[in-house]
Structure formats: C-alpha cells, structure tokens
Coordinates of all heavy atoms in Angstrom, one line a residue:
C423 N 3.7 -0.4 7.1 CA 4.0 -0.2 5.7 C 2.7 0.0 4.9 O 1.6 -0.3 5.5 CB 4.8 -1.5 5.2 SG 3.8 -3.0 5.2
Y424 N 2.8 0.4 3.8 CA 1.8 0.6 2.8 C 2.0 -0.2 1.5 O 3.2 -0.4 1.2 CB 1.5 2.1 2.4 CG 0.9 2.9 3.6 CD1 1.7 3.5 4.5 CD2 -0.5 2.9 3.7 CE1 1.1 4.2 5.5 CE2 -1.1 3.7 4.7 CZ -0.3 4.3 5.7 OH -0.9 5.0 6.6
L425 N 1.0 -0.6 0.9 CA 1.1 -1.4 -0.3 C 0.3 -0.7 -1.5 O -0.8 -0.3 -1.2 CB 0.6 -2.8 -0.2 CG 1.1 -3.6 1.0 CD1 0.4 -4.9 1.2 CD2 2.6 -3.9 0.8
V426 N 0.9 -0.8 -2.6 CA 0.1 -0.3 -3.8 C 0.4 -1.3 -4.9 O 1.5 -1.7 -5.2 CB 0.6 1.2 -4.2 CG1 2.1 1.3 -4.5 CG2 -0.2 1.7 -5.4
G427 N -0.8 -1.6 -5.7 CA -0.6 -2.6 -6.7 C -1.8 -3.4 -7.0 O -2.9 -3.1 -6.5
Q428 N -1.6 -4.5 -7.6 CA -2.7 -5.4 -8.0 C -2.3 -6.9 -7.9 O -1.1 -7.2 -7.6 CB -3.0 -5.2 -9.5 CG -3.2 -3.8 -9.9 CD -4.5 -3.2 -9.5 OE1 -5.5 -3.9 -9.3 NE2 -4.6 -1.9 -9.4
S429 N -3.2 -7.7 -8.0 CA -3.0 -9.2 -8.2 C -2.8 -10.0 -7.0 O -2.6 -9.5 -5.9 CB -1.9 -9.5 -9.2 OG -0.7 -9.5 -8.6
S430 N -2.8 -11.3 -7.2 CA -2.7 -12.2 -6.1 C -1.2 -12.1 -5.6 O -1.0 -12.5 -4.4 CB -2.9 -13.7 -6.6 OG -2.1 -14.0 -7.7
L431 N -0.3 -11.6 -6.4 CA 1.1 -11.5 -5.8 C 1.1 -10.4 -4.7 O 1.8 -10.6 -3.7 CB 2.0 -11.0 -7.0 CG 3.5 -10.8 -6.6 CD1 4.1 -12.1 -6.0 CD2 4.3 -10.3 -7.8
L432 N 0.3 -9.3 -4.9 CA 0.2 -8.4 -3.8 C -0.3 -9.0 -2.5 O 0.2 -8.8 -1.4 CB -0.6 -7.2 -4.2 CG -0.6 -6.1 -3.1 CD1 -0.6 -4.7 -3.8 CD2 -1.8 -6.2 -2.2
V433 N -1.4 -9.9 -2.6 CA -2.0 -10.5 -1.5 C -1.0 -11.4 -0.9 O -0.8 -11.5 0.3 CB -3.2 -11.3 -2.0 CG1 -3.7 -12.2 -0.9 CG2 -4.3 -10.3 -2.5
K434 N -0.2 -12.2 -1.7 CA 0.8 -13.1 -1.1 C 1.8 -12.4 -0.4 O 2.3 -12.7 0.7 CB 1.3 -14.0 -2.2 CG 2.4 -15.0 -1.7 CD 1.8 -16.0 -0.8 CE 2.8 -17.0 -0.4 NZ 2.3 -17.8 0.8
C435 N 2.3 -11.3 -0.9 CA 3.3 -10.4 -0.3 C 2.8 -9.9 1.0 O 3.5 -9.8 2.0 CB 3.8 -9.3 -1.2 SG 4.8 -9.9 -2.6
A436 N 1.5 -9.4 1.0 CA 0.9 -8.9 2.2 C 0.9 -9.9 3.3 O 1.1 -9.6 4.5 CB -0.4 -8.3 1.9
E437 N 0.5 -11.1 2.9 CA 0.4 -12.2 3.9 C 1.8 -12.5 4.5 O 1.9 -12.7 5.7 CB -0.1 -13.5 3.3 CG -1.5 -13.5 2.9 CD -2.4 -13.6 4.1 OE1 -2.0 -14.0 5.2 OE2 -3.6 -13.3 4.0
M438 N 2.8 -12.5 3.7 CA 4.2 -12.7 4.1 C 4.6 -11.5 5.1 O 5.3 -11.8 6.1 CB 5.2 -12.8 3.0 CG 5.0 -14.1 2.2 SD 6.0 -14.2 0.7 CE 7.6 -14.4 1.4
L439 N 4.3 -10.3 4.8 CA 4.6 -9.2 5.7 C 3.9 -9.4 7.0 O 4.6 -9.2 8.0 CB 4.1 -7.9 5.0 CG 4.9 -7.4 3.8 CD1 4.2 -6.4 3.1 CD2 6.3 -7.0 4.3
L440 N 2.6 -9.8 7.1 CA 2.0 -10.0 8.3 C 2.6 -11.2 9.1 O 2.7 -11.0 10.3 CB 0.5 -10.3 8.1 CG -0.4 -9.1 7.6 CD1 -1.8 -9.5 7.3 CD2 -0.3 -7.9 8.5
E441 N 2.9 -12.2 8.4 CA 3.6 -13.4 9.0 C 4.9 -13.0 9.7 O 5.4 -13.7 10.6 CB 3.8 -14.5 8.0 CG 2.5 -15.1 7.6 CD 2.7 -16.1 6.4 OE1 3.8 -16.3 6.0 OE2 1.7 -16.6 5.9
N442 N 5.5 -11.9 9.1 CA 6.8 -11.5 9.7 C 6.7 -10.2 10.5 O 7.7 -9.4 10.6 CB 7.8 -11.3 8.5 CG 8.3 -12.6 8.0 OD1 9.1 -13.3 8.6 ND2 7.7 -13.0 6.8
D443 N 5.5 -10.0 11.1 CA 5.3 -9.0 12.1 C 5.3 -7.6 11.6 O 5.6 -6.6 12.3 CB 6.3 -9.1 13.3 CG 6.1 -10.5 14.0 OD1 4.9 -10.9 14.1 OD2 7.1 -11.1 14.5
F444 N 5.1 -7.4 10.3 CA 4.9 -6.1 9.7 C 3.4 -5.6 10.0 O 2.5 -6.5 10.0 CB 5.2 -6.0 8.2 CG 6.6 -6.0 7.9 CD1 7.4 -7.2 7.9 CD2 7.2 -4.8 7.5 CE1 8.7 -7.2 7.6 CE2 8.5 -4.8 7.1 CZ 9.3 -6.0 7.2
R445 N 3.2 -4.4 10.1 CA 1.9 -3.8 10.2 C 1.5 -3.2 8.8 O 2.2 -2.3 8.4 CB 1.7 -2.7 11.2 CG 1.8 -3.3 12.6 CD 1.6 -2.3 13.7 NE 0.5 -1.3 13.4 CZ 0.6 0.0 13.6 NH1 1.7 0.6 14.0 NH2 -0.4 0.8 13.3
V446 N 0.5 -3.7 8.1 CA 0.0 -3.2 6.9 C -1.0 -2.1 7.2 O -2.1 -2.5 7.7 CB -0.5 -4.3 6.0 CG1 -1.1 -3.7 4.7 CG2 0.5 -5.4 5.7
L447 N -0.6 -0.9 7.0 CA -1.5 0.2 7.4 C -2.5 0.6 6.3 O -3.5 1.3 6.7 CB -0.6 1.4 7.7 CG 0.5 1.2 8.8 CD1 1.4 2.4 8.9 CD2 -0.2 1.0 10.1
G448 N -2.3 0.2 5.1 CA -3.2 0.6 4.0 C -2.8 0.0 2.7 O -1.6 -0.3 2.5
V449 N -3.7 -0.1 1.8 CA -3.5 -0.6 0.5 C -4.1 0.3 -0.6 O -5.3 0.8 -0.3 CB -4.1 -2.0 0.3 CG1 -3.9 -2.6 -1.1 CG2 -3.4 -3.0 1.3
C450 N -3.5 0.5 -1.7 CA -4.1 1.2 -2.8 C -4.2 0.2 -3.9 O -3.2 -0.3 -4.5 CB -3.2 2.4 -3.3 SG -3.9 3.2 -4.7
S451 N -5.4 -0.1 -4.3 CA -5.7 -1.2 -5.3 C -7.1 -1.1 -5.8 O -8.0 -0.8 -5.0 CB -5.3 -2.5 -4.8 OG -5.5 -3.5 -5.9
S452 N -7.3 -1.3 -7.1 CA -8.7 -1.4 -7.6 C -9.0 -2.9 -7.9 O -10.1 -3.2 -8.4 CB -8.8 -0.6 -9.0 OG -7.9 -1.1 -9.9
D453 N -8.1 -3.8 -7.6 CA -8.2 -5.2 -7.8 C -9.2 -5.8 -6.7 O -9.0 -5.6 -5.5 CB -6.9 -5.9 -7.6 CG -6.9 -7.4 -7.9 OD1 -7.6 -8.1 -7.2 OD2 -6.3 -7.8 -8.9
R454 N -10.2 -6.5 -7.1 CA -11.3 -7.0 -6.2 C -10.7 -8.0 -5.2 O -11.0 -7.9 -4.0 CB -12.4 -7.7 -7.0 CG -13.5 -8.2 -6.2 CD -14.6 -8.8 -7.0 NE -14.1 -9.9 -7.9 CZ -14.0 -11.1 -7.5 NH1 -14.4 -11.5 -6.3 NH2 -13.6 -12.0 -8.4
A455 N -9.8 -8.8 -5.6 CA -9.3 -9.8 -4.7 C -8.4 -9.1 -3.6 O -8.4 -9.5 -2.5 CB -8.4 -10.8 -5.5
V456 N -7.7 -8.1 -4.0 CA -6.9 -7.3 -3.0 C -7.8 -6.7 -2.0 O -7.6 -6.7 -0.8 CB -6.0 -6.3 -3.7 CG1 -5.3 -5.4 -2.7 CG2 -4.9 -7.0 -4.6
G457 N -8.9 -6.1 -2.5 CA -9.9 -5.4 -1.6 C -10.5 -6.4 -0.7 O -10.7 -6.1 0.5
E458 N -10.8 -7.6 -1.2 CA -11.4 -8.6 -0.3 C -10.4 -9.0 0.8 O -10.8 -9.2 2.0 CB -11.8 -9.8 -1.1 CG -13.1 -9.6 -2.0 CD -13.4 -10.7 -2.9 OE1 -12.7 -11.7 -3.0 OE2 -14.4 -10.6 -3.7
W459 N -9.1 -9.2 0.4 CA -8.1 -9.6 1.4 C -8.0 -8.5 2.5 O -8.0 -8.8 3.7 CB -6.8 -9.8 0.7 CG -5.7 -10.0 1.8 CD1 -5.3 -11.2 2.3 CD2 -4.9 -9.0 2.4 NE1 -4.4 -11.0 3.2 CE2 -4.1 -9.7 3.3 CE3 -4.8 -7.7 2.3 CZ2 -3.2 -9.1 4.2 CZ3 -3.9 -7.0 3.1 CH2 -3.1 -7.7 4.0
A460 N -7.9 -7.3 2.0 CA -7.8 -6.1 2.9 C -9.0 -6.0 3.8 O -8.8 -5.8 5.1 CB -7.6 -4.8 2.1
A461 N -10.1 -6.2 3.4 CA -11.4 -6.1 4.2 C -11.3 -7.3 5.3 O -11.6 -7.0 6.4 CB -12.6 -6.3 3.4
A462 N -10.9 -8.4 4.9 CA -10.8 -9.6 5.8 C -9.8 -9.4 6.9 O -9.8 -10.0 8.0 CB -10.5 -10.8 5.0
H463 N -8.8 -8.5 6.6 CA -7.7 -8.2 7.6 C -7.8 -6.8 8.2 O -6.9 -6.4 8.9 CB -6.3 -8.4 6.9 CG -6.0 -9.9 6.6 ND1 -6.5 -10.4 5.4 CD2 -5.4 -10.8 7.3 CE1 -6.2 -11.7 5.4 NE2 -5.4 -11.9 6.5
G464 N -8.9 -6.1 8.0 CA -9.1 -4.8 8.6 C -8.1 -3.8 8.1 O -7.8 -2.8 8.8
V465 N -7.7 -3.9 6.9 CA -6.7 -3.0 6.3 C -7.5 -2.0 5.4 O -8.2 -2.4 4.5 CB -5.6 -3.7 5.5 CG1 -4.7 -2.7 4.7 CG2 -4.9 -4.7 6.4
P466 N -7.4 -0.7 5.6 CA -8.0 0.3 4.7 C -7.6 0.2 3.3 O -6.4 0.0 3.0 CB -7.7 1.6 5.3 CG -7.2 1.3 6.7 CD -6.6 -0.1 6.7
V467 N -8.5 0.3 2.4 CA -8.3 0.3 0.9 C -8.6 1.6 0.3 O -9.7 2.2 0.6 CB -9.0 -0.8 0.2 CG1 -8.7 -0.9 -1.3 CG2 -8.7 -2.2 0.9
T468 N -7.7 2.1 -0.5 CA -7.9 3.3 -1.4 C -7.8 2.9 -2.8 O -6.9 2.2 -3.2 CB -6.9 4.4 -1.0 OG1 -6.9 4.6 0.3 CG2 -7.3 5.7 -1.8
E469 N -8.8 3.3 -3.6 CA -8.8 2.9 -5.0 C -8.1 3.8 -6.0 O -7.4 3.4 -6.9 CB -10.2 2.6 -5.5 CG -10.8 1.3 -4.9 CD -12.1 0.9 -5.6 OE1 -12.2 1.2 -6.8 OE2 -12.9 0.2 -5.0
G470 N -8.1 5.1 -5.7 CA -7.5 6.1 -6.6 C -6.1 6.5 -6.1 O -5.9 6.6 -4.9
I471 N -5.2 6.7 -7.0 CA -3.8 7.1 -6.6 C -3.8 8.4 -5.9 O -3.0 8.6 -5.0 CB -2.9 6.9 -7.8 CG1 -1.4 6.9 -7.3 CG2 -3.1 8.0 -8.8 CD1 -1.1 5.8 -6.4
K472 N -4.6 9.4 -6.4 CA -4.6 10.7 -5.8 C -5.0 10.6 -4.3 O -4.4 11.2 -3.4 CB -5.3 11.7 -6.6 CG -4.7 12.1 -7.8 CD -5.5 13.1 -8.6 CE -4.9 13.3 -10.0 NZ -4.0 14.4 -10.1
A473 N -6.1 9.9 -4.1 CA -6.6 9.7 -2.7 C -5.6 9.0 -1.9 O -5.4 9.3 -0.7 CB -7.9 8.9 -2.7
F474 N -4.9 8.0 -2.5 CA -3.9 7.2 -1.8 C -2.6 8.1 -1.3 O -2.1 8.1 -0.3 CB -3.3 6.1 -2.6 CG -2.3 5.2 -1.8 CD1 -2.7 4.5 -0.7 CD2 -1.1 5.0 -2.3 CE1 -1.8 3.6 -0.1 CE2 -0.1 4.2 -1.7 CZ -0.5 3.5 -0.6
E475 N -2.2 9.0 -2.3 CA -1.2 10.0 -2.0 C -1.6 10.8 -0.8 O -0.8 11.2 0.1 CB -0.8 10.8 -3.2 CG -0.1 10.0 -4.3 CD 0.1 10.7 -5.6 OE1 -0.4 11.9 -5.8 OE2 0.8 10.2 -6.4
E476 N -2.9 11.2 -0.7 CA -3.3 12.0 0.4 C -3.3 11.2 1.7 O -2.9 11.7 2.7 CB -4.7 12.6 0.1 CG -5.3 13.5 1.2 CD -4.4 14.7 1.4 OE1 -3.8 15.2 0.5 OE2 -4.4 15.2 2.6
T477 N -3.7 10.0 1.6 CA -3.6 9.1 2.7 C -2.2 9.0 3.3 O -1.9 9.1 4.5 CB -4.1 7.7 2.4 OG1 -5.4 7.7 2.0 CG2 -3.9 6.7 3.5
L478 N -1.2 8.9 2.4 CA 0.2 8.8 2.8 C 0.6 10.1 3.5 O 1.3 10.1 4.5 CB 1.1 8.5 1.6 CG 0.9 7.2 0.9 CD1 1.8 7.0 -0.3 CD2 1.1 6.0 1.9
R479 N 0.2 11.3 2.9 CA 0.6 12.6 3.5 C 0.0 12.7 4.9 O 0.7 13.1 5.8 CB 0.0 13.7 2.6 CG 1.0 14.2 1.6 CD 0.6 15.5 1.0 NE -0.6 15.3 0.1 CZ -0.5 14.8 -1.1 NH1 0.6 14.4 -1.6 NH2 -1.6 14.7 -1.9
E480 N -1.2 12.3 5.1 CA -1.9 12.3 6.4 C -1.2 11.4 7.4 O -1.3 11.6 8.6 CB -3.4 12.1 6.2 CG -4.1 13.1 5.5 CD -5.6 12.8 5.2 OE1 -6.0 11.7 5.6 OE2 -6.3 13.6 4.7
A481 N -0.7 10.3 6.9 CA -0.2 9.2 7.8 C 1.1 9.7 8.4 O 1.5 9.3 9.5 CB 0.1 8.0 7.0
G482 N 1.8 10.6 7.7 CA 3.1 11.0 8.2 C 4.2 10.0 8.0 O 4.2 9.4 6.9
E483 N 5.0 9.8 8.9 CA 6.1 8.9 8.7 C 5.7 7.4 8.8 O 4.9 7.0 9.6 CB 7.2 9.1 9.7 CG 7.9 10.4 9.6 CD 9.1 10.5 10.6 OE1 9.5 9.5 11.1 OE2 9.5 11.7 10.7
F484 N 6.3 6.6 7.9 CA 6.1 5.1 7.9 C 7.3 4.5 7.3 O 8.1 5.2 6.7 CB 4.8 4.7 7.1 CG 4.7 5.2 5.7 CD1 5.2 4.5 4.7 CD2 4.2 6.5 5.5 CE1 5.1 5.0 3.4 CE2 4.1 7.0 4.2 CZ 4.5 6.2 3.1
D485 N 7.5 3.3 7.5 CA 8.8 2.7 7.2 C 8.9 2.2 5.7 O 10.0 2.4 5.1 CB 9.1 1.4 8.0 CG 9.3 1.8 9.5 OD1 9.9 2.9 9.7 OD2 8.9 1.1 10.4
F486 N 7.9 1.6 5.2 CA 8.0 1.1 3.8 C 6.8 1.3 3.0 O 5.7 1.3 3.5 CB 8.2 -0.4 3.9 CG 9.4 -0.9 4.6 CD1 9.4 -1.3 5.9 CD2 10.7 -0.8 4.0 CE1 10.5 -1.8 6.6 CE2 11.8 -1.2 4.6 CZ 11.7 -1.7 5.9
L487 N 7.0 1.5 1.7 CA 5.9 1.6 0.7 C 6.3 0.6 -0.3 O 7.3 0.7 -1.1 CB 5.8 3.0 0.0 CG 4.9 3.1 -1.2 CD1 3.4 2.8 -0.7 CD2 5.0 4.6 -1.7
F488 N 5.5 -0.5 -0.4 CA 5.8 -1.6 -1.4 C 4.9 -1.4 -2.6 O 3.7 -1.3 -2.5 CB 5.5 -2.9 -0.7 CG 6.4 -3.3 0.4 CD1 6.1 -3.1 1.7 CD2 7.7 -3.8 0.1 CE1 7.0 -3.4 2.7 CE2 8.6 -4.2 1.2 CZ 8.2 -3.9 2.5
S489 N 5.6 -1.4 -3.8 CA 4.9 -1.3 -5.1 C 4.9 -2.7 -5.7 O 6.0 -3.1 -6.1 CB 5.6 -0.2 -5.9 OG 5.0 -0.1 -7.2
I490 N 3.8 -3.3 -5.8 CA 3.7 -4.7 -6.3 C 2.7 -4.9 -7.4 O 1.5 -4.7 -7.2 CB 3.4 -5.7 -5.1 CG1 4.3 -5.5 -3.9 CG2 3.3 -7.1 -5.6 CD1 3.8 -6.0 -2.6
V491 N 3.2 -5.2 -8.6 CA 2.4 -5.2 -9.8 C 1.6 -3.9 -9.9 O 0.3 -4.0 -9.9 CB 1.5 -6.5 -9.9 CG1 0.9 -6.6 -11.2 CG2 2.3 -7.7 -9.6
N492 N 2.2 -2.8 -9.8 CA 1.6 -1.5 -9.6 C 1.4 -0.8 -11.0 O 2.4 -0.5 -11.7 CB 2.5 -0.7 -8.8 CG 1.9 0.8 -8.6 OD1 0.8 1.0 -8.9 ND2 2.8 1.6 -8.1
P493 N 0.1 -0.6 -11.4 CA -0.1 0.1 -12.7 C 0.0 1.7 -12.5 O -0.2 2.4 -13.5 CB -1.5 -0.3 -13.0 CG -2.2 -0.4 -11.7 CD -1.1 -1.0 -10.8
Y494 N 0.1 2.2 -11.3 CA 0.0 3.6 -11.0 C 1.4 4.2 -11.1 O 2.4 3.5 -10.7 CB -0.6 3.9 -9.6 CG -2.0 3.3 -9.4 CD1 -2.2 2.3 -8.5 CD2 -3.0 3.9 -10.1 CE1 -3.5 1.8 -8.3 CE2 -4.3 3.4 -10.0 CZ -4.5 2.3 -9.1 OH -5.7 1.8 -8.9
I495 N 1.5 5.4 -11.4 CA 2.8 6.2 -11.3 C 2.7 7.1 -10.1 O 1.8 8.0 -10.1 CB 3.1 7.0 -12.6 CG1 3.2 6.0 -13.8 CG2 4.3 7.9 -12.5 CD1 3.4 6.7 -15.1
L496 N 3.5 6.9 -9.2 CA 3.5 7.8 -8.0 C 4.3 9.0 -8.3 O 5.4 8.9 -8.9 CB 4.1 7.0 -6.8 CG 3.3 5.8 -6.4 CD1 4.1 5.0 -5.3 CD2 1.9 6.1 -5.8
R497 N 3.9 10.1 -7.8 CA 4.7 11.4 -8.0 C 5.9 11.3 -7.1 O 5.9 10.7 -6.0 CB 3.8 12.6 -7.7 CG 2.6 12.8 -8.6 CD 1.7 14.0 -8.3 NE 1.2 13.8 -7.0 CZ 1.1 14.9 -6.2 NH1 1.5 16.0 -6.5 NH2 0.6 14.7 -4.9
K498 N 7.0 12.0 -7.6 CA 8.2 11.9 -6.8 C 8.0 12.5 -5.4 O 8.7 12.1 -4.5 CB 9.4 12.6 -7.5 CG 9.2 14.1 -7.7 CD 10.3 14.6 -8.5 CE 10.1 16.1 -8.8 NZ 11.2 16.7 -9.6
E499 N 7.1 13.4 -5.2 CA 6.9 14.0 -3.9 C 6.4 12.9 -2.9 O 6.7 13.0 -1.7 CB 5.8 15.1 -3.9 CG 6.2 16.3 -4.7 CD 6.1 16.2 -6.2 OE1 5.5 15.2 -6.7 OE2 6.6 17.1 -6.9
V500 N 5.8 11.9 -3.4 CA 5.4 10.8 -2.4 C 6.6 10.1 -1.8 O 6.6 9.8 -0.6 CB 4.6 9.7 -3.2 CG1 4.3 8.5 -2.4 CG2 3.2 10.3 -3.7
G501 N 7.7 10.0 -2.5 CA 8.9 9.5 -1.9 C 9.4 10.3 -0.8 O 10.1 9.8 0.1
R502 N 9.2 11.5 -0.8 CA 9.7 12.4 0.2 C 8.9 12.3 1.5 O 9.3 12.7 2.6 CB 9.7 13.9 -0.3 CG 10.7 14.1 -1.3 CD 10.8 15.6 -1.7 NE 11.6 15.6 -2.9 CZ 11.2 16.2 -4.0 NH1 10.0 16.8 -4.1 NH2 12.0 16.3 -5.0
I503 N 7.7 11.8 1.4 CA 6.8 11.7 2.6 C 7.4 10.7 3.6 O 7.4 11.0 4.8 CB 5.4 11.2 2.2 CG1 4.7 12.3 1.3 CG2 4.6 10.9 3.4 CD1 3.4 11.8 0.6
Y504 N 7.9 9.6 3.2 CA 8.3 8.6 4.1 C 9.8 8.5 4.3 O 10.3 7.6 5.0 CB 7.7 7.2 3.7 CG 8.2 6.6 2.5 CD1 9.2 5.7 2.5 CD2 7.6 7.0 1.3 CE1 9.6 5.1 1.3 CE2 8.0 6.4 0.1 CZ 9.0 5.5 0.1 OH 9.4 5.0 -1.1
I505 N 10.6 9.4 3.7 CA 12.0 9.3 3.8 C 12.4 10.1 5.1 O 11.9 11.1 5.5 CB 12.7 9.9 2.6 CG1 12.5 9.1 1.4 CG2 14.2 10.1 2.9 CD1 13.0 9.6 0.1

C-alpha cells in the first residue's frame, strides 16, 4: 500500500498497517515526523504530489492508497492506476 498525508495520525496508521502484515511501499508527505518514521522503517518518501503520482505510475498495481490528513488533491487519473 501507499500512504499520502501528514501528522502523527499517518504515522499511527502506518504502524497499524505494519502490525497487520501490510507492506507500506511508499509515503508522500512533507511532514518531518512522517519522514523520520519512514526513514526508520526503510519506506521511501516523496515530498511533492507530482513526483508521488509518478511513483505510483511506475509502481504499477498495488492494493491500497490511504489518504490520511492529506492536504494534496490527487488527480482522478491516479485512481485509475491502482484499480
């Protein structure tokens, strides 16, 4: 799965996902705490939404995209990537 958003809520959700055997493949966030969490868990971080959309395109199929306290607007084409 991929995560996009900010705050300690994203970090807590990511922890819960890992605890339940999900693979967090990447995160889009400009939040420092999210970046630190991702680095500690070996999860790639993308700060800009356009770069993140490209990451998703390159990734191909994946199961979930979680938007948690997300200040970004994802283009509707992004939804077609993982459907």
Side-chain angles (χ1 to χ4, degrees):
C423 66
Y424 286 88
L425 307 171
V426 57
Q428 310 286 336
S429 84
S430 61
L431 181 59
L432 185 144
V433 171
K434 181 62 177 168
C435 291
E437 288 288 345
M438 291 175 69
L439 288 165
L440 291 177
E441 289 169 6
N442 286 283
D443 299 322
F444 281 79
R445 286 183 48 223
V446 178
L447 302 172
V449 175
C450 177
S451 183
S452 58
D453 186 294
R454 184 179 54 88
V456 173
E458 289 173 359
W459 175 88
H463 290 83
V465 175
V467 178
T468 306
E469 289 192 25
I471 195 64
K472 289 185 189 267
F474 185 63
E475 290 174 350
E476 183 60 32
T477 297
L478 296 178
R479 268 192 289 284
E480 291 173 1
E483 292 185 17
F484 52 94
D485 294 324
F486 299 102
L487 172 61
F488 293 99
S489 177
I490 304 164
V491 191
N492 177 18
Y494 303 112
I495 296 174
L496 299 171
R497 295 180 300 139
K498 64 182 177 182
E499 291 81 11
V500 172
R502 294 186 188 123
I503 294 169
Y504 65 98
I505 293 176

